[in-house]
PDB file of all heavy atoms in Angstrom:
ATOM      1  N   LEU G  91      -5.269 -12.635 -15.199  1.00 98.00           N
ATOM      2  CA  LEU G  91      -5.890 -12.212 -13.948  1.00 98.00           C
ATOM      3  C   LEU G  91      -5.377 -10.836 -13.528  1.00 98.00           C
ATOM      4  O   LEU G  91      -6.148  -9.996 -13.043  1.00 98.00           O
ATOM      5  CB  LEU G  91      -5.603 -13.231 -12.849  1.00 98.00           C
ATOM      6  CG  LEU G  91      -6.218 -12.947 -11.469  1.00 98.00           C
ATOM      7  CD1 LEU G  91      -7.741 -12.987 -11.545  1.00 98.00           C
ATOM      8  CD2 LEU G  91      -5.712 -13.956 -10.437  1.00 98.00           C
ATOM      9  N   ILE G  92      -4.095 -10.609 -13.710  1.00 98.00           N
ATOM     10  CA  ILE G  92      -3.518  -9.296 -13.398  1.00 98.00           C
ATOM     11  C   ILE G  92      -4.133  -8.235 -14.298  1.00 98.00           C
ATOM     12  O   ILE G  92      -4.542  -7.154 -13.837  1.00 98.00           O
ATOM     13  CB  ILE G  92      -1.990  -9.327 -13.564  1.00 98.00           C
ATOM     14  CG1 ILE G  92      -1.347 -10.277 -12.559  1.00 98.00           C
ATOM     15  CG2 ILE G  92      -1.411  -7.912 -13.450  1.00 98.00           C
ATOM     16  CD1 ILE G  92      -1.437  -9.837 -11.121  1.00 98.00           C
ATOM     17  N   ARG G  93      -4.227  -8.537 -15.579  1.00 98.00           N
ATOM     18  CA  ARG G  93      -4.781  -7.570 -16.521  1.00 98.00           C
ATOM     19  C   ARG G  93      -6.216  -7.208 -16.177  1.00 98.00           C
ATOM     20  O   ARG G  93      -6.603  -6.032 -16.210  1.00 98.00           O
ATOM     21  CB  ARG G  93      -4.707  -8.124 -17.942  1.00 98.00           C
ATOM     22  CG  ARG G  93      -5.184  -7.118 -19.004  1.00 98.00           C
ATOM     23  CD  ARG G  93      -5.181  -7.671 -20.408  1.00 98.00           C
ATOM     24  NE  ARG G  93      -6.215  -8.688 -20.580  1.00 98.00           N
ATOM     25  CZ  ARG G  93      -5.985  -9.964 -20.795  1.00 98.00           C
ATOM     26  NH1 ARG G  93      -4.735 -10.413 -20.858  1.00 98.00           N
ATOM     27  NH2 ARG G  93      -6.985 -10.829 -20.929  1.00 98.00           N
ATOM     28  N   ARG G  94      -7.029  -8.198 -15.822  1.00 98.00           N
ATOM     29  CA  ARG G  94      -8.434  -7.927 -15.514  1.00 98.00           C
ATOM     30  C   ARG G  94      -8.577  -7.035 -14.287  1.00 98.00           C
ATOM     31  O   ARG G  94      -9.463  -6.169 -14.226  1.00 98.00           O
ATOM     32  CB  ARG G  94      -9.195  -9.240 -15.314  1.00 98.00           C
ATOM     33  CG  ARG G  94      -9.357 -10.046 -16.592  1.00 98.00           C
ATOM     34  CD  ARG G  94     -10.377 -11.159 -16.434  1.00 98.00           C
ATOM     35  NE  ARG G  94      -9.980 -12.188 -15.486  1.00 98.00           N
ATOM     36  CZ  ARG G  94      -9.210 -13.234 -15.762  1.00 98.00           C
ATOM     37  NH1 ARG G  94      -8.697 -13.380 -16.983  1.00 98.00           N
ATOM     38  NH2 ARG G  94      -8.928 -14.162 -14.852  1.00 98.00           N
ATOM     39  N   ASN G  95      -7.724  -7.230 -13.294  1.00 98.00           N
ATOM     40  CA  ASN G  95      -7.771  -6.379 -12.108  1.00 98.00           C
ATOM     41  C   ASN G  95      -7.404  -4.940 -12.443  1.00 98.00           C
ATOM     42  O   ASN G  95      -8.057  -3.999 -11.962  1.00 98.00           O
ATOM     43  CB  ASN G  95      -6.842  -6.941 -11.029  1.00 98.00           C
ATOM     44  CG  ASN G  95      -7.511  -7.970 -10.139  1.00 98.00           C
ATOM     45  OD1 ASN G  95      -8.217  -7.615  -9.203  1.00 98.00           O
ATOM     46  ND2 ASN G  95      -7.309  -9.242 -10.448  1.00 98.00           N
ATOM     47  N   VAL G  96      -6.384  -4.763 -13.244  1.00 98.00           N
ATOM     48  CA  VAL G  96      -5.984  -3.410 -13.621  1.00 98.00           C
ATOM     49  C   VAL G  96      -7.057  -2.751 -14.472  1.00 98.00           C
ATOM     50  O   VAL G  96      -7.407  -1.575 -14.272  1.00 98.00           O
ATOM     51  CB  VAL G  96      -4.633  -3.434 -14.370  1.00 98.00           C
ATOM     52  CG1 VAL G  96      -4.291  -2.043 -14.914  1.00 98.00           C
ATOM     53  CG2 VAL G  96      -3.519  -3.920 -13.452  1.00 98.00           C
ATOM     54  N   GLN G  97      -7.608  -3.493 -15.420  1.00 98.00           N
ATOM     55  CA  GLN G  97      -8.621  -2.917 -16.305  1.00 98.00           C
ATOM     56  C   GLN G  97      -9.862  -2.475 -15.533  1.00 98.00           C
ATOM     57  O   GLN G  97     -10.479  -1.454 -15.868  1.00 98.00           O
ATOM     58  CB  GLN G  97      -9.001  -3.933 -17.378  1.00 98.00           C
ATOM     59  CG  GLN G  97      -7.923  -4.135 -18.425  1.00 98.00           C
ATOM     60  CD  GLN G  97      -8.267  -5.229 -19.430  1.00 98.00           C
ATOM     61  OE1 GLN G  97      -9.084  -6.108 -19.150  1.00 98.00           O
ATOM     62  NE2 GLN G  97      -7.656  -5.171 -20.596  1.00 98.00           N
ATOM     63  N   PHE G  98     -10.224  -3.223 -14.501  1.00 98.00           N
ATOM     64  CA  PHE G  98     -11.395  -2.853 -13.701  1.00 98.00           C
ATOM     65  C   PHE G  98     -11.174  -1.492 -13.032  1.00 98.00           C
ATOM     66  O   PHE G  98     -12.029  -0.596 -13.095  1.00 98.00           O
ATOM     67  CB  PHE G  98     -11.662  -3.923 -12.651  1.00 98.00           C
ATOM     68  CG  PHE G  98     -12.927  -3.695 -11.875  1.00 98.00           C
ATOM     69  CD1 PHE G  98     -14.150  -4.099 -12.367  1.00 98.00           C
ATOM     70  CD2 PHE G  98     -12.900  -3.077 -10.627  1.00 98.00           C
ATOM     71  CE1 PHE G  98     -15.331  -3.892 -11.653  1.00 98.00           C
ATOM     72  CE2 PHE G  98     -14.062  -2.868  -9.908  1.00 98.00           C
ATOM     73  CZ  PHE G  98     -15.287  -3.280 -10.413  1.00 98.00           C
ATOM     74  N   LEU G  99     -10.017  -1.330 -12.405  1.00 98.00           N
ATOM     75  CA  LEU G  99      -9.721  -0.046 -11.768  1.00 98.00           C
ATOM     76  C   LEU G  99      -9.562   1.068 -12.794  1.00 98.00           C
ATOM     77  O   LEU G  99      -9.958   2.212 -12.557  1.00 98.00           O
ATOM     78  CB  LEU G  99      -8.430  -0.164 -10.947  1.00 98.00           C
ATOM     79  CG  LEU G  99      -8.572  -0.383  -9.445  1.00 98.00           C
ATOM     80  CD1 LEU G  99      -7.213  -0.466  -8.783  1.00 98.00           C
ATOM     81  CD2 LEU G  99      -9.409   0.718  -8.802  1.00 98.00           C
ATOM     82  N   ARG G 100      -9.000   0.729 -13.948  1.00 98.00           N
ATOM     83  CA  ARG G 100      -8.805   1.739 -14.986  1.00 98.00           C
ATOM     84  C   ARG G 100     -10.158   2.261 -15.480  1.00 98.00           C
ATOM     85  O   ARG G 100     -10.304   3.474 -15.746  1.00 98.00           O
ATOM     86  CB  ARG G 100      -8.014   1.146 -16.142  1.00 98.00           C
ATOM     87  CG  ARG G 100      -7.597   2.152 -17.197  1.00 98.00           C
ATOM     88  CD  ARG G 100      -6.562   3.118 -16.668  1.00 98.00           C
ATOM     89  NE  ARG G 100      -5.225   2.533 -16.643  1.00 98.00           N
ATOM     90  CZ  ARG G 100      -4.189   3.081 -16.025  1.00 98.00           C
ATOM     91  NH1 ARG G 100      -4.331   4.215 -15.361  1.00 98.00           N
ATOM     92  NH2 ARG G 100      -3.003   2.497 -16.037  1.00 98.00           N
ATOM     93  N   ARG G 101     -11.147   1.381 -15.571  1.00 98.00           N
ATOM     94  CA  ARG G 101     -12.471   1.840 -15.999  1.00 98.00           C
ATOM     95  C   ARG G 101     -13.081   2.798 -14.977  1.00 98.00           C
ATOM     96  O   ARG G 101     -13.732   3.787 -15.346  1.00 98.00           O
ATOM     97  CB  ARG G 101     -13.395   0.647 -16.236  1.00 98.00           C
ATOM     98  CG  ARG G 101     -13.087  -0.131 -17.518  1.00 98.00           C
ATOM     99  CD  ARG G 101     -14.195  -1.111 -17.854  1.00 98.00           C
ATOM    100  NE  ARG G 101     -14.239  -2.230 -16.934  1.00 98.00           N
ATOM    101  CZ  ARG G 101     -13.557  -3.367 -17.109  1.00 98.00           C
ATOM    102  NH1 ARG G 101     -12.767  -3.524 -18.157  1.00 98.00           N
ATOM    103  NH2 ARG G 101     -13.674  -4.346 -16.233  1.00 98.00           N
ATOM    104  N   LEU G 102     -12.875   2.508 -13.698  1.00 98.00           N
ATOM    105  CA  LEU G 102     -13.361   3.435 -12.671  1.00 98.00           C
ATOM    106  C   LEU G 102     -12.652   4.779 -12.799  1.00 98.00           C
ATOM    107  O   LEU G 102     -13.275   5.845 -12.670  1.00 98.00           O
ATOM    108  CB  LEU G 102     -13.117   2.858 -11.277  1.00 98.00           C
ATOM    109  CG  LEU G 102     -13.870   1.584 -10.896  1.00 98.00           C
ATOM    110  CD1 LEU G 102     -13.558   1.207  -9.447  1.00 98.00           C
ATOM    111  CD2 LEU G 102     -15.361   1.753 -11.079  1.00 98.00           C
ATOM    112  N   GLN G 103     -11.351   4.730 -13.039  1.00 98.00           N
ATOM    113  CA  GLN G 103     -10.566   5.953 -13.205  1.00 98.00           C
ATOM    114  C   GLN G 103     -11.061   6.773 -14.393  1.00 98.00           C
ATOM    115  O   GLN G 103     -11.265   7.997 -14.290  1.00 98.00           O
ATOM    116  CB  GLN G 103      -9.094   5.587 -13.400  1.00 98.00           C
ATOM    117  CG  GLN G 103      -8.163   6.767 -13.603  1.00 98.00           C
ATOM    118  CD  GLN G 103      -6.795   6.303 -14.093  1.00 98.00           C
ATOM    119  OE1 GLN G 103      -6.707   5.444 -14.979  1.00 98.00           O
ATOM    120  NE2 GLN G 103      -5.735   6.860 -13.523  1.00 98.00           N
ATOM    121  N   GLU G 104     -11.278   6.115 -15.510  1.00 97.00           N
ATOM    122  CA  GLU G 104     -11.672   6.824 -16.736  1.00 97.00           C
ATOM    123  C   GLU G 104     -13.068   7.419 -16.638  1.00 97.00           C
ATOM    124  O   GLU G 104     -13.361   8.435 -17.288  1.00 97.00           O
ATOM    125  CB  GLU G 104     -11.571   5.868 -17.925  1.00 97.00           C
ATOM    126  CG  GLU G 104     -10.131   5.481 -18.262  1.00 97.00           C
ATOM    127  CD  GLU G 104     -10.031   4.367 -19.285  1.00 97.00           C
ATOM    128  OE1 GLU G 104     -11.101   3.763 -19.605  1.00 97.00           O
ATOM    129  OE2 GLU G 104      -8.924   4.092 -19.766  1.00 97.00           O
TER     130      GLU G 104
END
Side-chain angles (χ1 to χ4, degrees):
L91 181 64
I92 296 292
R93 184 183 69 247
R94 291 193 294 275
N95 273 279
V96 173
Q97 288 176 338
F98 186 83
L99 261 180
R100 187 68 79 192
R101 286 192 289 271
L102 295 183
Q103 179 193 44
E104 292 171 351

